[in-house]
Amino acid sequence: MTTAIKLERGSDGIGIVTMDLPGRSTNVLNDDLMLPFAEVLQQFETDATFKGLVITSAKRDFMVGADIDRLAKVKTPEEAYELAQAFKTFLRRLEKSGKPVVAALNGTALGGGLELALGAHRRIALNNPSLKIGLPEVKLGLLPGGGGTQRLPRLIGIQESFSLLLEGKELRLDKAVALGLIHELAETPAELIEKARAWCLANPSPKQPWDQQGFRFPKGDSRSPGVAQMLAIAPSMANAKAWGNYPAINHIMSSVFEGGLTDIDNALQIESRYFAACAMTQESRNMIGTLWYQLNAIKKGRSRPEGQPESSVKKVGVLGAGMMGAGIAYVSAKVGIEVVLLDTTQEAAEKGKGYSQGLLDKAVARGRSTAAKRDELLARIQPTTKYEDLAGCDLIVEAVFEDRDVKAGVTKAAEAVIGSDAVFASNTSTLPITGLAKSSVRPAQFIGLHFFSPVDKMPLVEIIVGAETSPQTLARGFDYVQQIGKTPIVVNDSRGFYTSRVFATYIMEGAAMLAEGVHPRSIEVAGQQAGMPMPPLALQDEVTLSLGVHIADAARRDYAAEGKTYVAHPGEAVIRTLVKDHDRIGKKTGRGFYDYNGKEKSLWPGLAEVYPRQPVQPQQQHIIDRLMYVQANEAARCFEAGVLRSAADANIGSIFGWGFAPFQGGALQFINAVGLKQFVERSFELSKLHGKRFEPAAILLKMAEKGETFEDR
Ligand code: NAD
C-alpha cells in the first residue's frame, strides 16, 4: 500500500521524511498523513541511532492546511477540541524530542502546514518567488488550532502576529525571512536537503525558544505595558472593520492574549478551546460551505457543460478600449494571450493600452515585476482601429458603449473578419444577450461575459447564456475565464442577469428607506453592520445616480415595448429627484447622497429637507433585515426563474460580484442559515410593512414545507 510518509535514513542518522499524500494534489493534515507520521515519530523518539529529522514534501507545496473534509464532519466542541489537541501533542513530542527537527519548505506552507513547520527547530525554504507562508484559517471563520496562535507570537511578537492571524495574510519569502519565520534559504531542492541535514548535524540537541529557561516574548508578553496598551485597543480596531460579524477574530485575539499570560503547554490548551468555539459557529459553517466547497466545485467545472473538449484562447480581440476594454486587455495579456485592442480612434486604443502600462509601471516600481516582463506583456497588446487586425482571433470580447445599435454595428464588423469558429462575447451589463445575439450571424457562438470593475482586481466573471448559445460556446467562455485566473458563474439570460439584478435591490432599498424618513446615517450604518463592503447610499454614489436613472428609463421602455406593466421601485423616485431636482449625480461630480471634498465625504445636509425624518426611527436590526432579506429573496427569485443554475453560483456570485456579507456565506446560504421557515415568516412580516418585493419567492414556500435547504442544489 502506498503511504503518505516516506522515510529515508542516511548513515549519519538523519532521517528525511517526505510527505506525499496518495491520490491528492497537495498535502493536507489528516489521518492518512498523520498516522504514518506518528509511527516515524515513535521511532525517532526511541531509537538512539536516529539523530535528526528533516521534513519535506514530494508535492509542489509543502502542505496547504487542515483537511477541511475532516473538520466539516466535527459535530461537537469536544470533538473539535480533541482534534486540535491530537495534532498539538504530536508537535510537542516533535519539538521536545531533544533531537533536531528541520522543516525543509520546498513550497508553500499554509495553515496546518505552517504550524507543522513552526513545530520544527529550524525552517529552511527553497528560494522560490511563488512560495508563500501564512495562517489563512480566519478566512473560513476558523482559528489556527495547531499552535499557530501561540508559537507565532512567541517567535515574532504579539503585535506582528496579529496581521498574519487576523487577516490571514500570506507572506512572500522576503517578508518571512525579515520576520525571522524562515531562517535560511536554499537555491535548489538538493541544497535544501543538504542544508537541513547539515543543520541537524551541527545542532544535535536544540530547544525551542519557548522551552528554554528565562524565555521572553519578543517585545513582551500580554502583561508588558506596550503590548497591553495595544491589546486594549486591538478589539475595537478589528471590530471597526468587522462589526462583530466574525467571531473568529475575537477568538484569535483572546487566544493570543490569554496564551500570552502563561507557559506554552497551558497556552496550547487555551487555543484548542477557542478553536472548538470557532469550529462550532454558524459563520464558519457558512464560509466553509461556500468559500471552500462551493468555490472548489466551481473551479473544478461544476457549471461547465459536460463532454466539451478543453480549450484555450491564443488571440483575443477586445472591442472598445475604455475602462472595461482596457482592463480585459490587461488580464488577457497577463496570461500570455495576444490581444488586439480596437477603438474608434488610434488615440483611444493607445490610451486603453496605456492602462496596462500604468499598472505595470507601478508593479515594476514596487519590485513586483521587472521591466523586461512589463515590456513583454505590453508587446502582446496591439492597439488599432482596423477590423482586419482581428483576423485569427479565437475570441472577441465586446466592451463598447452600452447601446444596442453601437453593439450591433461592431458585432457585424467583427464577424465579417473573424474565423467561422470564433466565439463572440459581450460585456454588456444590462442588455439581454438573446437580443444582442440577433445582430450576430452565428448566435450559437454568441455569449455574455460580464466582467466587474476594476477588471484587474475583481475576481468574478458572470457568464450569460443566451437562448441560442451552444454548450460548446459556454464551455469555451468558461475555459477563457479560468485561463485569465477569474472565477466563472453561469447564469441564464434575463434583465440585469443575476448580479446586477440582486445588487440593485440593495441600493434601491436604501433609497426607499430614505424616502420613508429613515435617518440616512442609520441606513448607512445598517449596511456596514450587515457586513456589506459599502453602505447602500454611498454605493449608489459610486455607481452614479444618473446611471440608475438611465437603467430605469431603459427598463421602462423595454417593458412598454414588450407590452408589460412596469412597477417602479420606491427607490427610483428618490434617485430621479436627486438627479433632476438637485443636480446630484454621484461621486464623480462631487455631489450625490454625500458631499465630496477630496478624500472626505459627509452626508448631504439637504437630504433632511427633501426627506423629512420620521419622529420614531426603526430599530437598527429592522433596517438590516430589509437590506439583507430583499437581496436574498431576489436571489431566490432568480433561482426559481432558472436565471441561476446552482446555489454555488448564487453564493459565490454574490460574495465575489458585489461583496455580499462573506460571513453569511452568500445570498442563498443566508436563507439556509436563517432557516427556510423563519425566512418565509419574516418575509411575510416585511412585505406587510414595506411592500410586495418582500413577499417570499414561491420556491421558498415549497422548500420550507418540505424541509429543504439550498445546500444540495
Ligand atoms: P467606456 O465608455 O469607458 O468605454 C467604451 C469604449 O468603447 C470607449 O473607449 C469608446 O471610444 C469605445 N467605442 C464606442 N463605440 C465604439 C465603436 N463603434 N467601435 C469601437 N469602439 C467604440 O465604457 P465602459 O465602462 O468600459 O463599458 C463598456 C461596456 O462594458 C458597456 O457595455 C458597459 O455596460 C459594460 N460594463 C461596464 C462596467 C463598468 O463598471 N463600467 C461593468 C461591467 C460591464
Side-chain angles (χ1 to χ4, degrees), residues 170-428:
E170 292 174 15
L171 298 180
R172 290 181 187 280
L173 269 181
D174 50 348
K175 258 282 177 64
V177 170
L179 275 173
L181 284 174
I182 300 291
H183 301 104
E184 210 180 330
L185 296 177
E187 295 306 320
T188 64
E191 192 191 25
L192 177 67
I193 301 301
E194 255 341 284
K195 282 190 162 174
R197 185 190 293 277
W199 194 86
C200 286
L201 293 172
N203 297 274
S205 49
K207 265 190 180 173
Q208 292 284 31
W210 41 88
D211 287 324
Q212 292 174 20
Q213 274 236 311
F215 166 73
R216 280 173 189 277
F217 274 67
K219 301 185 193 155
D221 64 17
S222 302
R223 280 184 212 89
S224 78
V227 173
Q229 217 173 21
M230 184 278 291
L231 285 170
I233 55 164
S236 49
M237 283 179 61
N239 282 321
K241 276 197 227 160
W243 291 88
N245 290 325
Y246 295 83
I249 290 181
N250 287 341
H251 289 327
I252 289 171
M253 284 190 286
S254 300
S255 178
V256 172
F257 168 70
E258 290 173 33
L261 296 171
T262 180
D263 64 78
I264 185 82
D265 286 303
N266 279 311
L268 290 171
Q269 279 189 36
I270 291 171
E271 179 189 84
S272 295
R273 286 191 204 111
Y274 281 112
F275 171 78
C278 277
M280 290 297 113
T281 58
Q282 182 64 44
E283 289 82 354
S284 82
R285 258 174 239 144
N286 292 342
M287 286 195 270
I288 289 174
T290 300
L291 296 170
W292 182 261
Y293 285 109
Q294 295 187 338
L295 181 59
N296 285 341
I298 286 176
K299 284 184 179 165
K300 284 191 187 140
R302 185 191 197 291
S303 325
R304 190 184 184 278
E306 271 175 39
Q308 294 297 332
E310 282 190 17
S311 67
S312 71
V313 172
K314 291 191 183 62
K315 187 173 171 189
V316 64
V318 180
L319 311 183
M323 186 164 87
M324 298 305 287
I328 296 165
Y330 171 74
V331 295
S332 302
K334 199 171 167 208
V335 296
I337 299 174
E338 294 294 327
V339 180
V340 179
L341 184 55
L342 182 144
D343 209 298
T344 46
T345 65
Q346 190 64 24
E347 202 189 342
E350 301 276 354
K351 188 171 166 233
K353 177 171 176 173
Y355 179 73
S356 291
Q357 173 101 41
L359 288 179
L360 291 162
D361 283 347
K362 237 191 244 165
V364 174
R366 291 192 182 151
R368 278 196 267 109
S369 188
T370 62
K373 278 192 191 148
R374 172 195 61 201
D375 297 345
E376 204 184 300
L377 192 156
L378 287 174
R380 282 197 283 273
I381 304 178
Q382 180 195 352
T384 187
T385 58
K386 296 195 213 79
Y387 278 86
E388 304 91 88
D389 292 337
L390 297 174
C393 284
D394 25 28
L395 170 73
I396 300 289
V397 182
E398 168 278 301
V400 299
F401 296 142
E402 189 75 340
D403 179 292
R404 283 198 177 94
D405 293 336
V406 178
K407 288 192 190 291
V410 301
T411 306
K412 289 202 175 83
E415 285 186 348
V417 180
I418 54 177
S420 59
D421 60 346
V423 167
F424 191 102
S426 173
N427 177 44
T428 176

Side-chain angles (χ1 to χ4, degrees), residues 654-676:
S654 68
I655 297 176
F656 285 14
W658 74 95
F660 187 92
F663 74 94
Q664 300 280 16
L668 290 184
Q669 175 58 24
F670 178 90
I671 302 176
N672 286 340
V674 169
L676 269 286

Side-chain angles (χ1 to χ4, degrees), residues 132-149:
K132 291 199 199 117
I133 70 163
L135 295 168
E137 283 84 346
V138 70
K139 293 185 186 165
L140 292 180
L142 295 171
L143 169 149
T149 70

